[in-house]
Amino acid sequence: MFNALIVNKDDEGKVSAEIQELGETQLPSDGDVTVAVEYSTVNYKDGLCLTGNGGLVRNYPHIPGIDFVGTVETSEDNRYKAGDKVVLTGWRVGEVWWGGYSQKAKVKADWLVPLPNGITPKQAMAVGTAGFTSMLSVMALEDHGLKVGDGPVLVTGAAGGVGSVATAILAKLGHEVAGVTGRPETADYLKSLGATQIVAREEINETTKRPLETETWAGCVDAVGGAMLARVLGQMKYGASVAAVGLAGGAGLPATVIPFLLRGVNLLGIDSVMRPYDDRLRAWERIAKDLPMDKLEEMVVDATLSDLPSLGGDILAGKVKGRVVVDVNA
């Protein structure tokens, strides 16, 4: 028997979450690797699943948790054996498949990657989907020409999970980082991660009738979308790129094509859910090398399964700073 956070929906459509005791026979029968979960984390999607928003969860009862790390207990796939440390992010686990808010999980071997050398299980979940996505974004900007010395790199939603890790990685690589935040109290936190400039959200969150503004940013990791992304596109330097990773500010894009046509700006879509295995390995290897672990530890907020119902609402409301690491066995 083991504990898991079960989300349920009643006949009136109200969603609730509580810790329940389950048996292994209740885990998905078509998984081929059983993992003793050690840690999970809280991402924006987890907030949607915990609160019943966004329509991500189709079937109840459900176990959320789009990330987890743990130790293989049994495997029907010869790529993994009992005792192996593994990480899972994405593949719609925690959305349509039971996820990591549980002391045990049963998943497809194709969805797992080995825990990289030099990263502890807890650090892996301090990274999680947010950090993995951040590294994919940085890699995409580099693949499209971003180099140290090109100019400041903008990170929107900088105090959130994706933004925090992106700020730390970019700063370690030697970039000048400008962090956008709507919470002035996070300025010192962002500076501790390596940001050299703090941009108030209200300065950049309004649409403008001018399709082009002064060329300012050599690159951008955007976790906000909406009007802010539209504004940023008109501020990019010639040939610069924006890695779009989120929609905290809305899914719409009230922009023109002018930045693409007159400045050769690139808008790069970053998907971490269905990312191929080789890309995942490359990103995790870069995380082990280029993410300053001391900065990562400064981002961490510890939590347990019982904390998750309230944390789901908090992350949707933009109240979570840094990275939440959930010890599912505490």
Side-chain angles (χ1 to χ4, degrees):
M1 304 297 290
F2 59 92
N3 290 329
L5 186 81
I6 304 291
V7 175
N8 238 320
K9 180 184 282 189
D10 64 21
D11 294 338
E12 297 178 355
K14 183 179 179 182
V15 172
S16 60
E18 66 175 359
I19 297 172
Q20 295 181 15
E21 193 173 60
L22 302 179
E24 285 195 33
T25 57
Q26 294 172 269
L27 291 171
S29 59
D30 45 352
D32 48 26
V33 181
T34 301
V35 179
V37 179
E38 297 173 39
Y39 296 98
S40 186
T41 182
V42 180
N43 299 284
Y44 193 84
K45 274 188 179 179
D46 295 312
L48 294 173
C49 294
L50 284 164
T51 58
N53 289 302
L56 298 183
V57 179
R58 306 291 175 84
N59 298 300
Y60 293 89
H62 180 68
I63 300 175
I66 68 171
D67 302 335
F68 67 76
V69 62
T71 304
V72 173
E73 288 194 337
T74 62
S75 176
E76 299 169 23
D77 188 289
N78 59 18
R79 285 172 287 179
Y80 297 102
K81 64 183 185 304
D84 287 347
K85 297 285 188 182
V86 290
V87 180
L88 183 144
T89 62
W91 299 111
R92 303 208 69 191
V93 171
E95 300 176 54
V96 299
W97 190 281
W98 279 11
Y101 292 167
S102 173
Q103 293 173 328
K104 290 187 188 294
K106 194 172 184 180
V107 296
K108 302 284 191 183
D110 288 343
W111 301 342
L112 299 168
V113 296
L115 179 69
N117 291 330
I119 298 181
T120 68
K122 186 174 182 180
Q123 288 171 335
M125 283 301 97
V127 174
T129 285
F132 175 64
T133 305
S134 299
M135 181 53 79
L136 291 174
S137 302
V138 172
M139 288 163 50
L141 293 177
E142 292 172 343
D143 291 345
H144 284 78
L146 178 66
K147 300 183 298 298
V148 173
D150 285 349
V153 180
L154 189 71
V155 178
T156 70
V162 172
S164 292
V165 180
T167 298
I169 292 171
L170 288 163
K172 185 183 178 185
L173 291 172
H175 293 281
E176 179 186 348
V177 183
V180 180
T181 180
R183 294 177 280 173
E185 68 275 12
T186 63
D188 289 342
Y189 164 74
L190 292 173
K191 289 176 182 177
S192 76
L193 298 180
T196 55
Q197 181 182 350
I198 306 299
V199 180
R201 181 170 57 197
E202 56 268 22
E203 290 182 20
I204 205 169
N205 200 36
E206 294 182 2
T207 54
T208 175
K209 293 182 179 179
R210 298 169 56 199
L212 294 175
E213 298 182 70
T214 301
E215 295 183 44
T216 305
W217 315 115
C220 174
V221 177
D222 175 60
V224 175
M228 185 178 295
L229 173 56
R231 183 82 181 272
V232 167
L233 288 169
Q235 298 179 351
M236 302 305 295
K237 291 189 173 186
Y238 188 91
S241 300
V242 178
V245 303
L247 42 62
L253 186 58
T256 76
V257 297
I258 298 301
F260 308 120
L261 302 181
L262 298 188
R263 286 192 184 156
V265 171
N266 305 297
L267 181 57
L268 312 176
I270 306 298
D271 169 65
S272 64
V273 177
M274 308 302 290
R275 204 73 177 201
Y277 181 77
D278 288 345
D279 283 358
R280 291 175 182 273
L281 286 184
R282 180 183 167 217
W284 278 103
E285 287 169 0
R286 284 288 306 272
I287 287 166
K289 181 169 71 79
D290 293 328
L291 175 58
M293 291 302 163
D294 58 331
K295 302 298 185 186
L296 183 67
E297 288 164 8
E298 291 176 17
M299 303 177 201
V300 170
V301 177
D302 293 311
T304 65
L305 289 178
S306 61
D307 296 320
L308 288 168
S310 62
L311 284 168
D314 286 347
I315 197 165
L316 296 184
K319 295 179 181 178
V320 172
K321 182 180 77 173
R323 299 289 296 133
V324 176
V325 175
V326 182
D327 183 345
V328 301
N329 299 294

